């Protein structure tokens, strides 16, 4: 909760600065694909996205807020699971499903190139909501939790026409979240992601 | 709206904002979930003989159902259990001999879904046999429980009791429980096949259960 308050404070402070500034703003929507780096699910997710807002204080510095999400769905064939002292065992196949939704305050450093490309590096810090579900036969085990999330990223804005406000947004990054689930032995949630999107910059 | 890009962004946002999708459950099998549970201190090689009745206790919330499964369906299942016990080096003994291990099979049919019961709820269920058997009366003692407590559609429980040490322990200790859980088919043959597969899996995942 304390983390959320800090994030909220950063965002509100940023908003005040934004209100006083007369520089550029960008609103974007992207398709985000994620490649998990964990044991619970390993299959990539193509059912993800991101919406974001950025405020450019100058050509180089920008802050923003973004909300992303992804859906991981994976079938795991029959397998026997044992508890630590090997007194219990259970055999079943299952469908594993994970939904994740990181909400971050973002900080960007933009490189000025003088052409249509505006590459940048960025870091998003915030909170991630996630739900983990395992379906087997007619049963389901599920849990949901919040964690701290860090999203370092690189990307570029591409101006489609010299005078147009439309931007193509290409980005790639890493998502590290502290969401835990003891039942499924999840200590954290990590994934690479790439995205392609469209933005409007005034 | 001055710029059509706004419309585009709004449309794309709408599509993407279906956010959380639903899992694809099409690949899930209908095989029973097989869970086994053993008493940590039990010495499985210390027993020689076993007995299992040729009927299966039946607990159902359908008032028309009987409290016992008999005949060919019971025989098929009991024979499969015997086959596994024999393969693990134990010898079947008939009554009135007193076995080292007593096995009992219980089938549970729960027509209603989503009803959760505390562990062991079926003990003392109307129509369910009590704890007094031909080899004596001992209070049932469960150091272990079935791992799935939510009886929704169908369960088959195979209990193995330590008769050999019952007098010393002054209780009848369940040393091994196998539980098969899952959706029941409307066809008895299919349910029996799933049960037989589940029994074999229960023994397969319990390599310690041998003479």
């Amino acid at each position: 909760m304390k983390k959320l308050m800090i994030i909220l404070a950063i965002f509100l402070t940023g908003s005040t600065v934004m209100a006083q500034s007369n520089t550029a703003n960008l609103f974007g929507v992207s398709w985000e694909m994620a490649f998990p780096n964990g044991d619970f699910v390993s299959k990539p997710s193509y059912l993800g996205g991101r919406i974001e807002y950025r405020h450019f204080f100058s050509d180089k510095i920008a802050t923003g807020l973004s909300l992303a999400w992804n859906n991981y769905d994976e079938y795991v064939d029959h397998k026997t699971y044992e508890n630590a002292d090997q007194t219990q065992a259970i055999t079943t196949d299952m469908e594993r499903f994970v939904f994740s939704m990181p909400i971050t305050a973002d900080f960007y450093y933009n490189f000025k190139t003088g052409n249509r490309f505006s590459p940048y590096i960025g870091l998003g810090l915030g909170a991630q909501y996630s739900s983990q579900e395992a379906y087997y036969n007619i049963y389901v085990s599920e849990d949901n939790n919040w964690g701290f999330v860090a999203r370092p990223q690189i990307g570029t804005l591409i101006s489609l026409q010299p005078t147009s406000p439309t931007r193509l947004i290409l980005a790639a990054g890493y998502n590290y979240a502290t969401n835990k689930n003891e039942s499924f032995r999840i200590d954290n949630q990590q994934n690479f992601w790439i995205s392609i999107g469209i933005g409007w910059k005034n | 709206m001055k710029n059509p890009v706004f419309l585009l962004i709004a449309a794309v946002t709408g599509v993407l904002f279906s956010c959380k999708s639903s899992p694809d459950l099409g690949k899930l099998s209908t095989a029973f979930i097989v869970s086994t549970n053993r008493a940590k201190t039990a010495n499985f090689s210390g027993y020689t003989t076993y007995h299992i009745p040729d009927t299966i206790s039946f607990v159902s919330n359908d008032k028309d159902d009987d409290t016992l499964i008999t005949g060919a369906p019971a025989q098929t299942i009991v024979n499969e259990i015997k086959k596994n016990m024999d393969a693990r080096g134990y010898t079947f003994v008939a009554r009135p001999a007193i076995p080292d291990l007593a096995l009992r099979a219980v089938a549970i049919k729960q027509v209603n879904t989503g009803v959760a019961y505390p562990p062991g709820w079926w003990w003392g269920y109307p129509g369910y046999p009590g704890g007094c058997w031909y080899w004596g009366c001992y209070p049932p003692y469960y150091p272990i429980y079935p791992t799935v407590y939510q009886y929704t559609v169908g369960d088959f429980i195979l209990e193995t009791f330590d008769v050999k040490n019952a007098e010393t322990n002054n209780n009848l200790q369940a040393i091994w429980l196998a539980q098969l859980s899952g959706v029941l088919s409307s066809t008895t043959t299919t349910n029996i096949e799933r049960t037989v597969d589940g029994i074999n899996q229960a023994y397969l995942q319990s390599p310690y259960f041998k003479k």
Side-chain angles (χ1 to χ4, degrees):
Chain A
M1 197 60 200
K2 194 183 274 183
K3 287 172 190 166
L4 280 174
M5 294 301 287
I6 292 168
I7 292 157
L8 198 62
I10 291 168
F11 173 60
L12 290 176
T13 312
S15 301
T16 311
V17 175
M18 286 171 206
Q20 291 166 351
S21 172
N22 197 25
T23 51
N25 297 291
L26 177 134
F27 177 74
V29 180
S30 296
W31 174 31
E32 190 172 299
M33 292 149 278
F35 305 87
N37 184 14
D39 294 330
F40 189 66
V41 285
S42 57
K43 208 171 137 187
S45 159
Y46 301 108
L47 292 173
R50 184 178 74 248
I51 56 170
E52 62 185 298
Y53 167 78
R54 298 185 198 184
H55 178 79
F56 293 80
F57 292 101
S58 67
D59 288 341
K60 289 183 176 174
I61 304 297
T63 62
L65 194 69
S66 62
L67 182 150
W69 65 93
N70 256 296
N71 293 279
Y72 306 90
D73 193 5
E74 184 170 358
Y75 174 76
V76 179
D77 210 346
H78 281 87
K79 190 179 165 187
T80 301
Y81 304 86
E82 281 186 308
N83 68 343
D85 63 2
Q86 296 185 318
T87 55
Q88 296 179 347
I90 185 162
T91 302
T92 184
D93 62 338
M94 65 172 72
E95 190 74 32
R96 295 178 181 178
F97 181 79
V98 174
F99 172 72
S100 64
M101 188 173 68
I103 304 165
T104 52
D106 306 316
F107 308 92
Y108 301 99
Y109 183 84
N110 302 281
F111 300 94
K112 182 93 176 140
T113 59
N115 57 29
R116 287 184 177 190
F117 292 85
S118 303
Y120 63 84
I121 55 171
L123 177 66
L125 296 173
Q128 174 169 291
Y129 167 81
S130 177
S131 68
Q132 303 91 38
E133 299 160 16
Y135 296 83
Y136 41 102
N137 202 290
I138 53 160
Y139 306 96
V140 61
S141 300
E142 57 188 332
D143 193 15
N144 57 69
N145 33 60
W146 284 88
F148 171 78
V149 65
R151 286 168 62 90
Q153 59 175 296
I154 55 168
T156 185
L157 300 178
I158 304 171
S159 184
L160 298 176
Q161 289 174 333
T163 55
S164 168
T166 310
R167 299 286 186 278
L168 194 63
I169 309 170
L170 299 179
Y174 199 74
N175 193 100
Y176 180 90
T178 60
N179 298 63
K180 289 187 199 314
N181 182 328
E182 281 184 21
S183 306
F184 298 150
R185 295 174 188 171
I186 297 172
D187 287 332
N188 55 61
Q189 289 183 333
Q190 300 182 47
N191 64 272
F192 288 103
W193 56 266
I194 56 172
S195 69
I196 179 166
I198 191 163
W200 186 79
K201 188 180 180 188
N202 67 5
Chain B
M1 192 70 70
K2 287 179 182 176
N3 197 316
V5 173
F6 271 124
L7 285 175
L8 180 66
I9 288 173
V12 173
T13 306
V15 171
L16 289 179
F17 244 94
S18 45
C19 272
K20 188 178 177 184
S21 65
S22 298
D24 173 16
L25 303 178
K27 289 181 189 166
L28 275 186
S29 76
T30 49
F32 284 144
I33 297 158
V34 181
S35 60
T36 49
N37 210 325
R38 62 167 288 189
K40 203 172 179 180
T41 53
N43 174 21
F44 287 87
S45 62
Y47 309 99
T48 305
T49 56
Y50 74 95
H51 176 80
I52 182 168
D54 55 5
T55 56
I56 296 169
S57 302
F58 189 44
V59 179
S60 168
N61 63 352
D62 184 341
K63 62 180 171 53
D64 296 329
D65 282 336
D66 205 346
T67 54
L68 275 183
I69 298 174
T70 56
Q75 207 56 53
T76 306
I77 292 167
V78 169
N79 282 346
E80 201 64 27
I81 295 167
K82 282 182 177 175
K83 207 161 77 183
N84 275 285
M85 289 298 287
D86 293 348
R88 296 299 171 99
Y90 301 103
T91 308
F92 176 82
V93 290
R95 294 177 70 177
I98 296 177
D100 291 344
L101 294 171
L103 278 69
R104 180 155 62 168
V106 184
I108 298 168
K109 188 173 88 175
Q110 181 69 38
V111 179
N112 300 323
T113 56
V115 182
Y117 295 90
W121 67 273
W122 34 269
W123 190 266
Y125 194 94
Y128 189 85
C132 235
W133 297 338
Y134 60 87
W135 50 76
C137 287
Y138 296 105
Y141 171 65
Y142 282 78
I144 50 179
Y145 297 104
T147 50
V148 180
Y149 299 137
Q150 191 170 350
Y151 299 107
T152 46
V153 178
D155 294 87
F156 178 87
I157 295 174
L158 178 59
E159 306 165 298
T160 303
F161 293 97
D162 177 2
V163 178
K164 185 182 179 182
N165 301 306
E167 203 162 349
T168 316
N169 296 340
N170 203 30
N171 62 36
L172 200 54
Q173 186 170 330
I175 59 165
W176 190 70
L177 281 181
Q179 180 171 352
L180 320 179
S181 308
V183 66
L184 291 178
S185 162
S186 55
T187 317
T188 306
T189 318
T190 308
N191 289 331
I192 292 172
E193 279 170 11
R194 287 179 190 166
T195 306
V196 165
D197 289 347
I199 287 165
N200 289 328
Q201 175 58 43
Y203 280 93
L204 187 68
Q205 70 191 42
S206 309
Y208 51 82
F209 196 168
K210 63 181 179 187
K211 173 73 184 143

mmCIF file of all heavy atoms in Angstrom, chain B residues 145-159:
data_model
loop_
_atom_site.group_PDB
_atom_site.id
_atom_site.type_symbol
_atom_site.label_atom_id
_atom_site.label_comp_id
_atom_site.label_asym_id
_atom_site.label_seq_id
_atom_site.Cartn_x
_atom_site.Cartn_y
_atom_site.Cartn_z
ATOM 1 N N TYR B 145 -5.706 -36.989 5.316
ATOM 2 C CA TYR B 145 -7.021 -36.682 4.768
ATOM 3 C C TYR B 145 -6.975 -36.668 3.254
ATOM 4 O O TYR B 145 -5.917 -36.436 2.671
ATOM 5 C CB TYR B 145 -7.478 -35.290 5.238
ATOM 6 C CG TYR B 145 -7.649 -35.186 6.722
ATOM 7 C CD1 TYR B 145 -6.702 -34.534 7.490
ATOM 8 C CD2 TYR B 145 -8.752 -35.758 7.342
ATOM 9 C CE1 TYR B 145 -6.854 -34.441 8.865
ATOM 10 C CE2 TYR B 145 -8.909 -35.676 8.711
ATOM 11 C CZ TYR B 145 -7.959 -35.020 9.483
ATOM 12 O OH TYR B 145 -8.119 -34.947 10.816
ATOM 13 N N PRO B 146 -8.110 -36.862 2.630
ATOM 14 C CA PRO B 146 -8.162 -36.651 1.182
ATOM 15 C C PRO B 146 -7.727 -35.216 0.878
ATOM 16 O O PRO B 146 -8.022 -34.308 1.648
ATOM 17 C CB PRO B 146 -9.636 -36.849 0.835
ATOM 18 C CG PRO B 146 -10.175 -37.688 1.935
ATOM 19 C CD PRO B 146 -9.400 -37.305 3.164
ATOM 20 N N THR B 147 -7.015 -35.029 -0.201
ATOM 21 C CA THR B 147 -6.463 -33.701 -0.470
ATOM 22 C C THR B 147 -7.465 -32.755 -1.115
ATOM 23 O O THR B 147 -7.283 -31.568 -1.092
ATOM 24 C CB THR B 147 -5.219 -33.805 -1.363
ATOM 25 O OG1 THR B 147 -5.548 -34.620 -2.482
ATOM 26 C CG2 THR B 147 -4.056 -34.372 -0.621
ATOM 27 N N VAL B 148 -8.478 -33.314 -1.729
ATOM 28 C CA VAL B 148 -9.484 -32.450 -2.341
ATOM 29 C C VAL B 148 -10.753 -32.518 -1.497
ATOM 30 O O VAL B 148 -11.332 -33.574 -1.335
ATOM 31 C CB VAL B 148 -9.791 -32.912 -3.795
ATOM 32 C CG1 VAL B 148 -10.835 -32.008 -4.417
ATOM 33 C CG2 VAL B 148 -8.518 -32.909 -4.614
ATOM 34 N N TYR B 149 -11.135 -31.400 -0.938
ATOM 35 C CA TYR B 149 -12.252 -31.412 -0.007
ATOM 36 C C TYR B 149 -13.577 -31.056 -0.658
ATOM 37 O O TYR B 149 -14.607 -31.179 -0.075
ATOM 38 C CB TYR B 149 -11.987 -30.424 1.128
ATOM 39 C CG TYR B 149 -10.759 -30.752 1.924
ATOM 40 C CD1 TYR B 149 -9.869 -29.776 2.300
ATOM 41 C CD2 TYR B 149 -10.502 -32.058 2.285
ATOM 42 C CE1 TYR B 149 -8.734 -30.086 3.040
ATOM 43 C CE2 TYR B 149 -9.377 -32.385 3.014
ATOM 44 C CZ TYR B 149 -8.493 -31.385 3.393
ATOM 45 O OH TYR B 149 -7.387 -31.695 4.108
ATOM 46 N N GLN B 150 -13.472 -30.544 -1.852
ATOM 47 C CA GLN B 150 -14.709 -30.078 -2.474
ATOM 48 C C GLN B 150 -15.299 -31.171 -3.358
ATOM 49 O O GLN B 150 -14.839 -31.412 -4.455
ATOM 50 C CB GLN B 150 -14.417 -28.839 -3.320
ATOM 51 C CG GLN B 150 -15.692 -28.159 -3.768
ATOM 52 C CD GLN B 150 -15.420 -26.836 -4.388
ATOM 53 O OE1 GLN B 150 -14.316 -26.331 -4.338
ATOM 54 N NE2 GLN B 150 -16.425 -26.264 -4.994
ATOM 55 N N TYR B 151 -16.286 -31.845 -2.807
ATOM 56 C CA TYR B 151 -16.907 -32.935 -3.555
ATOM 57 C C TYR B 151 -17.963 -32.358 -4.469
ATOM 58 O O TYR B 151 -18.986 -31.883 -4.018
ATOM 59 C CB TYR B 151 -17.535 -33.936 -2.588
ATOM 60 C CG TYR B 151 -16.538 -34.562 -1.670
ATOM 61 C CD1 TYR B 151 -16.480 -34.225 -0.339
ATOM 62 C CD2 TYR B 151 -15.634 -35.477 -2.174
ATOM 63 C CE1 TYR B 151 -15.545 -34.795 0.499
ATOM 64 C CE2 TYR B 151 -14.687 -36.054 -1.346
ATOM 65 C CZ TYR B 151 -14.651 -35.703 -0.015
ATOM 66 O OH TYR B 151 -13.731 -36.263 0.809
ATOM 67 N N THR B 152 -17.679 -32.364 -5.713
ATOM 68 C CA THR B 152 -18.626 -31.728 -6.612
ATOM 69 C C THR B 152 -19.414 -32.729 -7.430
ATOM 70 O O THR B 152 -20.628 -32.674 -7.446
ATOM 71 C CB THR B 152 -17.905 -30.748 -7.542
ATOM 72 O OG1 THR B 152 -16.745 -31.373 -8.052
ATOM 73 C CG2 THR B 152 -17.505 -29.485 -6.804
ATOM 74 N N VAL B 153 -18.745 -33.629 -8.068
ATOM 75 C CA VAL B 153 -19.488 -34.558 -8.904
ATOM 76 C C VAL B 153 -19.234 -36.016 -8.525
ATOM 77 O O VAL B 153 -20.157 -36.731 -8.188
ATOM 78 C CB VAL B 153 -19.188 -34.323 -10.398
ATOM 79 C CG1 VAL B 153 -19.928 -35.334 -11.250
ATOM 80 C CG2 VAL B 153 -19.614 -32.921 -10.789
ATOM 81 N N GLY B 154 -17.983 -36.439 -8.563
ATOM 82 C CA GLY B 154 -17.734 -37.834 -8.246
ATOM 83 C C GLY B 154 -16.371 -38.057 -7.615
ATOM 84 O O GLY B 154 -15.402 -37.405 -7.990
ATOM 85 N N ASP B 155 -16.323 -38.938 -6.614
ATOM 86 C CA ASP B 155 -15.059 -39.292 -5.980
ATOM 87 C C ASP B 155 -15.031 -40.785 -5.711
ATOM 88 O O ASP B 155 -16.068 -41.390 -5.447
ATOM 89 C CB ASP B 155 -14.889 -38.573 -4.639
ATOM 90 C CG ASP B 155 -14.756 -37.080 -4.801
ATOM 91 O OD1 ASP B 155 -15.792 -36.411 -4.841
ATOM 92 O OD2 ASP B 155 -13.619 -36.618 -4.908
ATOM 93 N N PHE B 156 -13.837 -41.325 -5.783
ATOM 94 C CA PHE B 156 -13.646 -42.710 -5.406
ATOM 95 C C PHE B 156 -12.486 -42.703 -4.422
ATOM 96 O O PHE B 156 -11.415 -42.167 -4.721
ATOM 97 C CB PHE B 156 -13.294 -43.553 -6.643
ATOM 98 C CG PHE B 156 -13.032 -44.984 -6.325
ATOM 99 C CD1 PHE B 156 -14.069 -45.905 -6.266
ATOM 100 C CD2 PHE B 156 -11.737 -45.420 -6.082
ATOM 101 C CE1 PHE B 156 -13.816 -47.239 -5.953
ATOM 102 C CE2 PHE B 156 -11.482 -46.748 -5.768
ATOM 103 C CZ PHE B 156 -12.526 -47.657 -5.710
ATOM 104 N N ILE B 157 -12.729 -43.254 -3.240
ATOM 105 C CA ILE B 157 -11.688 -43.232 -2.211
ATOM 106 C C ILE B 157 -11.331 -44.658 -1.819
ATOM 107 O O ILE B 157 -12.211 -45.479 -1.556
ATOM 108 C CB ILE B 157 -12.165 -42.438 -0.967
ATOM 109 C CG1 ILE B 157 -12.375 -40.971 -1.365
ATOM 110 C CG2 ILE B 157 -11.142 -42.530 0.159
ATOM 111 C CD1 ILE B 157 -12.971 -40.131 -0.278
ATOM 112 N N LEU B 158 -10.048 -44.925 -1.841
ATOM 113 C CA LEU B 158 -9.559 -46.239 -1.428
ATOM 114 C C LEU B 158 -8.750 -46.041 -0.147
ATOM 115 O O LEU B 158 -7.724 -45.357 -0.146
ATOM 116 C CB LEU B 158 -8.685 -46.844 -2.532
ATOM 117 C CG LEU B 158 -8.061 -48.206 -2.233
ATOM 118 C CD1 LEU B 158 -9.126 -49.252 -1.933
ATOM 119 C CD2 LEU B 158 -7.200 -48.661 -3.416
ATOM 120 N N GLU B 159 -9.247 -46.636 0.932
ATOM 121 C CA GLU B 159 -8.592 -46.482 2.226
ATOM 122 C C GLU B 159 -7.837 -47.763 2.569
ATOM 123 O O GLU B 159 -8.329 -48.852 2.310
ATOM 124 C CB GLU B 159 -9.636 -46.237 3.316
ATOM 125 C CG GLU B 159 -10.560 -45.072 3.033
ATOM 126 C CD GLU B 159 -11.787 -45.082 3.914
ATOM 127 O OE1 GLU B 159 -12.569 -46.046 3.830
ATOM 128 O OE2 GLU B 159 -11.959 -44.145 4.692
#
